[in-house]
């Protein structure tokens, strides 16, 4: 009997040249793991764009399917935590980097990596959230854990028209914060206001030269950009303001003075989404399901077929994607 096969977008550098193509792959390609999942949707994150285009060294080995997240239905499970038919979500854990990724109709993973699909959320909506939205939620939770509350000064989101940024704007607005969206694409102002931003500002504000401390404005910040933007943000953080930094879309190094920290007590909190423990993951997903209405999620989303991923990977690495790109791996 011939072995079952499935379709996946594969990056293959094994022959010396770099191939990126949708291939028919045998089931034995999948790594060991307790749970076999039929993937419905994945997403295109910035990191996936780097992996597919080769602009960043994301994939630890090839041939490999990229895709750092997926949502689907359990086919087989050797774990009591899941049974066939359960709908599940996966983000992080090195999937699409060290392990076979989400741009694939089937995947096999450890049970502890999976989160049950929150009630009231569809598989497509879960991937409209995806790693980017999950990270946005972690940033909001970090702000709250460090004392930022609705009702105070404004909170700013940088890279606001991107994946993490747009979900962060929506989540903060829904939670009652006065959210200001910082973007290089002012033409997306209507989109950002529809997500709940009270104001949209040009990202050049943060990279323009300025004094070490300027007027207090921000109680909190979600920074997806890094680099000079992050460095510039600190100048206008209010007393005891909190910056949740999760991204480097605009650069990985930044310069600041110590004054925001030693004179205003500003806190810089790093946010990572890959190795978040299972309990915190479930809590974050439940909060997303509670706070983000389905129609708002749908407004953030564009759905593309698997074969369109290479072209969109160029787009996302050129910072031209708006909101979230969901990949229908069966289309
Ligand atoms: P997107 O490409 O969707 O969004 C990034 C946004 O950053 C762009 O839309 C743009 O926003 C802004 N931007 C891009 N280049 C520049 C630049 N040179 N200068 C200033 N702003 C720029 O990516 P994601 O939202 O998926 O990811 C955002 C960042 O978060 C990435 O660095 C990603 O690696 C990181 N990330 C980190 C995670 C973690 O675990 N820590 C998890 C997920 C993502 P605009 O057009 O509005 O100006």
């Amino acid at each position: 009997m011939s072995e079952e096969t499935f379709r996946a977008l594969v990056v293959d550098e094994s022959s010396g040249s770099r191939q990126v193509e949708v291939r028919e792959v045998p089931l034995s390609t999948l790594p060991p793991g307790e749970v076999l999942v039929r993937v419905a949707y994945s997403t295109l994150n910035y990191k996936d764009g780097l992996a597919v285009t080769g602009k960043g060294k994301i994939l630890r080995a090839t041939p490999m399917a990229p895709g750092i997240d997926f949502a689907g239905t359990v086919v087989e499970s050797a774990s009591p935590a899941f049974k066939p038919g359960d709908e599940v979500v996966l983000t992080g854990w090195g999937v699409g980097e060290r392990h076979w990724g989400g741009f694939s109709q089937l995947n096999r993973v450890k049970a502890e990596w999976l989160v049950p699909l929150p009630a009231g959320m569809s598989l497509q909506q879960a991937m409209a959230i995806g790693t980017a939205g999950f990270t946005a939620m972690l940033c909001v939770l970090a702000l709250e854990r460090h004392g930022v509350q609705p009702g105070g000064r404004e909170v700013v989101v940088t890279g606001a028209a991107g994946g993490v940024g747009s979900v962060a704007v929506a989540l903060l607005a829904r939670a009652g914060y006065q959210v200001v969206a910082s973007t290089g694409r002012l033409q997306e102002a209507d989109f950002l206001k529809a997500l709940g931003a009270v104001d949209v500002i040009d990202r050049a504000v943060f990279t323009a030269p300025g004094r070490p401390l300027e007027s207090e404005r921000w109680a909190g910040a979600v920074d997806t950009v890094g680099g000079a933007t992050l460095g510039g943000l600190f100048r206008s953080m209010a007393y005891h303001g909190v910056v949740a930094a999760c991204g480097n879309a605009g650069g990985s190094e930044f310069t600041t003075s110590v004054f925001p920290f030693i004179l205003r007590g500003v806190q810089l909190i790093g946010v990572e989404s890959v190795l978040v423990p299972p309990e915190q993951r479930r809590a974050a997903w439940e909060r997303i399901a509670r706070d983000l209405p389905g129609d708002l999620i749908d407004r953030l989303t564009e759905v593309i077929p698997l074969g369109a991923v290479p072209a969109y990977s160029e787009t996302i690495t050129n910072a031209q994607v708006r909101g979230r790109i969901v990949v229908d791996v069966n289309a």
Side-chain angles (χ1 to χ4, degrees), residues 33-322:
E34 293 114 22
V35 187
L36 181 67
V37 179
R38 186 164 299 285
V39 178
Y41 298 99
S42 183
T43 77
L44 188 66
N45 296 279
Y46 184 76
K47 202 186 246 181
D48 301 318
L50 295 177
V52 172
T53 58
K55 290 179 185 173
K57 185 75 191 138
I58 304 295
L59 302 176
R60 302 301 164 85
T62 72
M64 174 82 85
I68 62 170
D69 42 24
F70 65 77
T73 307
V74 172
V75 179
E76 291 170 13
S77 173
S79 159
F82 295 100
K83 59 180 189 317
D86 285 351
E87 293 183 310
V88 290
V89 182
L90 181 145
T91 66
W93 300 113
V95 168
E97 298 182 57
R98 285 186 295 278
H99 306 274
W100 193 259
F103 297 155
S104 174
Q105 291 177 314
L106 285 172
N107 208 334
R108 198 186 286 115
V109 295
K110 290 186 180 176
E112 66 184 21
W113 293 354
L114 295 167
V115 171
L117 181 74
M121 193 182 275
S122 69
L123 292 171
Q124 183 180 318
Q125 286 169 339
M127 281 299 98
I129 301 296
T131 298
F134 176 62
T135 305
M137 187 73 252
L138 295 177
C139 289
V140 175
L141 292 170
L143 294 185
E144 292 182 352
R145 216 171 35 249
H146 291 86
V148 183
Q149 293 294 329
R153 289 179 187 271
E154 296 159 313
V155 173
V156 65
V157 176
T158 67
V164 179
S166 53
V167 183
V169 169
L171 281 170
L172 287 162
R174 295 290 300 182
Y177 293 89
Q178 297 286 302
V179 194
V180 176
S182 160
T183 182
R185 291 180 279 171
L186 291 172
Q187 69 275 19
E188 299 296 356
D190 287 346
F191 167 71
L192 291 164
K193 285 185 175 163
L195 297 180
V198 292
D199 196 6
V200 178
I201 60 170
D202 191 325
R203 69 187 187 196
V205 165
F206 295 115
T207 50
R211 298 188 306 275
L213 285 178
E214 292 169 357
S215 303
E216 292 179 79
R217 181 158 185 193
W218 316 114
V222 172
D223 177 54
T224 75
V225 172
T229 300
L230 177 57
L233 254 178
F234 293 115
R235 303 191 301 237
S236 46
M237 293 304 297
Y239 276 84
H240 307 131
V242 184
V243 179
C246 71
N248 62 345
S252 50
E253 292 179 10
F254 64 94
T255 311
T256 178
S257 75
V258 296
F259 297 119
F261 306 101
I262 66 173
L263 296 182
R264 287 191 182 162
V266 170
Q267 301 177 73
L268 172 60
I269 312 297
V271 172
E272 77 83 31
S273 66
V274 177
L275 297 180
V276 177
E279 278 311 301
Q280 286 175 35
R281 273 175 197 271
R282 287 175 189 234
W285 276 101
E286 291 302 329
R287 171 88 184 261
I288 293 167
R290 193 196 77 187
D291 282 10
L292 271 194
D295 62 328
L296 196 63
I297 299 176
D298 296 340
R299 209 177 300 161
L300 285 164
T301 313
E302 183 181 351
V303 184
I304 64 168
L306 195 55
V309 167
Y312 274 78
S313 295
E314 287 294 339
T315 314
I316 199 167
T317 52
N318 291 328
Q320 289 160 349
V321 158
R322 178 177 98 171

